[in-house]
Amino acid sequence: MTATFGGNWPKHRLPNGLYDQWVAKRETAVKAGRAALPLIAYADFTDYALVICKADSWREVFRRHFGRPESVRESFQRLHPIRLDTMHARPIGQDDELLLYVEVKRLVRVILM
């Protein structure tokens, strides 16, 4: 996004309301004594599919990498329950571990292109 739209892309390219949410999270963190990080660091897991699949960003950045927006949404939907379990210190089963491996490998392959 930065390479295509510049460093201020969050302000102009995020779905409605998301920019303000990320700014508020950063402000809360800074008030709590934490260092300010790039705005993307305040995204929630569920925000990624929204950012990637937003029509203009999809068309100009992500389509050539992912092919179909439904594919991205499906990957994040499959990963979401596993993400919740792991982030809340709940064990995951072998099936979830295999699914995690496949989905993450698929997404990382695209990210590292």
Side-chain angles (χ1 to χ4, degrees):
M1 294 288 283
T2 301
T4 302
F5 302 121
N8 204 22
W9 70 264
K11 186 168 188 158
H12 306 288
R13 292 291 178 158
L14 288 175
N16 290 339
L18 209 49
Y19 176 80
D20 293 331
Q21 290 175 25
W22 292 5
V23 168
K25 288 178 187 180
R26 180 169 55 190
E27 289 172 357
T28 300
V30 169
K31 286 178 185 174
R34 296 187 177 101
L37 299 171
L39 210 51
I40 189 71
Y42 302 95
D44 288 337
F45 182 79
T46 55
D47 295 344
Y48 298 129
L50 296 173
V51 171
I52 292 168
C53 295
K54 186 173 177 274
D56 57 347
S57 297
W58 176 260
R59 186 177 51 256
E60 296 177 49
V61 177
F62 297 107
R63 178 175 48 195
R64 67 178 169 261
H65 300 291
F66 288 106
R68 297 179 318 110
E70 298 82 10
S71 176
V72 173
R73 287 186 196 100
E74 290 164 0
S75 286
F76 279 98
Q77 286 173 351
R78 285 189 291 266
L79 286 169
H80 189 255
I82 300 168
R83 186 257 177 220
L84 287 175
D85 284 345
T86 58
M87 293 299 107
H88 294 279
R90 295 186 292 256
I92 61 171
Q94 187 177 23
D95 288 350
D96 284 341
E97 187 175 347
L98 290 170
L99 179 63
L100 174 67
Y101 175 78
V102 169
E103 290 297 339
V104 169
K105 181 177 180 181
R106 189 174 157 278
L107 292 169
V108 168
R109 184 184 73 237
V110 171
I111 291 168
L112 297 178
M113 288 179 121

